[in-house]
Amino acid sequence: MSERDCIFCRIIAGEIPSKQVYKDDWVTAFYDINPVAPVHVLIVPNEHIPSVAAATPQHEAVLGRLFTAARRIAEDLGVAESGFRLVVNTGRDGGQDVFHLHMHLLGGKRLGRLG
Ligand code: AMP
Ligand code: ZN
């Protein structure tokens, strides 16, 4: 899929509306359109990286920024103390639907166990 057709690239470019919660030179974060928890934000690299399966050492800075942005967003949205879950679905068996790497930040309720 080309970046022109990528829904998250188009959200980052402002071509598709989103409820943005954070943006810097490395990552953009916006509310998930189909939330599964009271707080459900997607944090995405501004660069098109299809998935963790395509990540290289060159991506380490932006991958680190996903986590520090998550900490900051969790504080801003009031779930840092109560806790939250970060999820990165990868590939078919991982349930990845959008092939632009993204981190789900989930919180605001007691989340069930995985699996
Ligand atoms: P995944 O299954 O990990 O690939 O997650 C993709 C997520 O993107 C899903 O939770 C969708 O609800 C979300 N999503 C798809 N399109 C949009 C959109 N236009 N704005 C916000 N979230 C979206
Ligand atoms: Zn993309």
Side-chain angles (χ1 to χ4, degrees):
M1 180 197 283
S2 86
E3 295 173 28
R4 217 165 47 83
D5 301 323
C6 170
I7 188 161
F8 288 174
C9 281
R10 296 190 65 198
I11 285 174
I12 293 159
E15 294 168 14
I16 292 176
S18 72
K19 254 179 94 184
Q20 192 172 294
V21 295
Y22 178 80
K23 192 178 186 72
D24 65 25
D25 287 347
W26 296 91
V27 303
T28 299
F30 48 90
Y31 284 101
D32 196 292
I33 206 168
N34 186 22
V36 299
V39 171
H40 188 171
V41 167
L42 301 174
I43 312 168
V44 311
N46 293 339
E47 174 189 352
H48 182 86
I49 306 168
S51 82
V52 172
T56 69
Q58 280 69 45
H59 296 129
E60 282 170 5
V62 67
L63 295 175
R65 181 61 63 89
L66 291 175
F67 280 90
T68 51
R71 190 266 300 156
R72 181 176 167 158
I73 294 161
E75 286 174 3
D76 288 349
L77 299 182
V79 297
E81 212 169 297
S82 51
F84 54 92
R85 181 176 292 166
L86 302 174
V87 175
V88 183
N89 297 324
T90 303
R92 186 194 56 215
D93 284 358
Q96 184 177 5
D97 289 326
V98 177
F99 279 78
H100 179 128
L101 193 155
H102 52 281
M103 176 182 273
H104 296 255
L105 190 162
L106 301 161
K109 72 170 185 183
R110 198 63 75 89
L111 298 163
R113 295 186 66 84
L114 290 177

